Amino acid sequence: MTTTEPVRATGVPAATAGPVKAKPSLASRAAARAGGGVMRVFLILVGLFWLMPTIGLLLSSLRGAEDIAASGWWKIFTAPSELTFDNYQRLLDNSVITDSLLSTVLITVPTTFLVVVIGSLAGYAFAWMEFPGRDWWFLVVVGLLVVPVQVALIPVSELFGTLGIFETTFGVIMFHTAFGLPFAIFLLRNFFAEIPRELLEAARLDGAGEIRLFTRVVMPLGGPAIASLGIFQFLWVWNDMLVALIFADSESPPITVALQQQVRQFGNNIDVLAPGAFVSMVIPLAVFFAFQRQFVSGVMAGAVK
């Protein structure tokens, strides 16, 4: 006795026919086609919205004090003749602002360098060197991450006063370095720990000591994480006002404190504040965009194997 398999209209036996896919609806097809374009437009609008304060500050810095007081910065699109660079000329002639920019650089650059160097050395030690109490010391470092800056202001002020470094550039550098190291060590230790052990053992077999191993193997591989740390630290120190207001020299304060001191009654010196604020903002933005690729690589490191 023979049996015959039911045959579909296409001539393919039912037992061998593949699953029938449901046809997507008209709405889903339209959403799939428009999704890419809509998403791009949405992201562009979000980017423009995020840049709006920066654009407004830039245009305000290019207008005279009378024009700023009379109308908003958007008036520049209908009256481009209001554009002028006189504000920046007055800014360069203002010795307080120029000296404060130099003071900010003298604080930010050494602090960033110290945090990156010391954090890299400590991160390597916690990741690959054996010493008594290593894990406990690392837990102490992690615990320091939650200590707020405000808690240390009074005791550190007394300590710096005793040491004679209160209201000095060196004191501000030391304060920022001390509070930047816990995060630096935590970040770099976790990144260095992801380096394959076989790579380090092969370098040791070739006769590399700890210093050469750190400089020739670990540092090049940790470039993205180190660049991310440097950007973070640079932005934190450059934009800081609380620590600078307390510990910095009142005769040569950083730019954030200098701009705050330039505010007169009713803020009627906006022609000086606007270009000063834009200059203080555009420098960290330039640093970020210059190292954007390394920053993204460092942030995404370890996310994808």
Side-chain angles (χ1 to χ4, degrees), residues 101-239:
L101 282 173
L102 178 60
S103 178
T104 306
V105 173
L106 293 177
I107 291 174
T108 306
V109 174
T111 300
T112 304
F113 177 78
L114 288 175
V115 169
V116 169
V117 172
I118 300 175
S120 300
L121 292 171
Y124 171 75
F126 279 116
W128 293 108
M129 296 181 66
E130 297 290 342
F131 55 89
R134 183 186 67 173
D135 295 336
W136 288 105
W137 281 112
F138 184 69
L139 289 177
V140 172
V141 172
V142 173
L144 291 175
L145 288 172
V146 302
V147 176
V149 175
Q150 294 80 358
V151 173
L153 294 179
I154 295 178
V156 173
S157 298
E158 295 178 352
L159 176 63
F160 282 5
T162 304
L163 298 176
I165 59 175
F166 186 74
E167 288 194 350
T168 63
T169 300
F170 179 75
V172 180
I173 293 174
M174 290 297 99
F175 190 96
H176 281 301
T177 301
F179 273 86
L181 280 177
F183 175 76
I185 296 173
F186 175 77
L187 175 69
L188 295 180
R189 183 266 179 189
N190 291 339
F191 187 89
F192 292 160
E194 296 296 327
I195 297 176
R197 181 180 295 273
E198 293 78 9
L199 184 63
L200 301 180
E201 291 177 351
R204 287 193 177 97
L205 289 175
D206 290 338
E210 295 297 340
I211 296 179
R212 178 169 294 183
L213 192 65
F214 175 74
T215 56
R216 300 294 181 86
V217 179
V218 176
M219 288 292 285
L221 293 176
I226 294 173
S228 300
L229 172 63
I231 292 174
F232 275 127
Q233 188 66 31
F234 186 92
L235 296 179
W236 287 337
V237 178
W238 184 278
N239 295 320

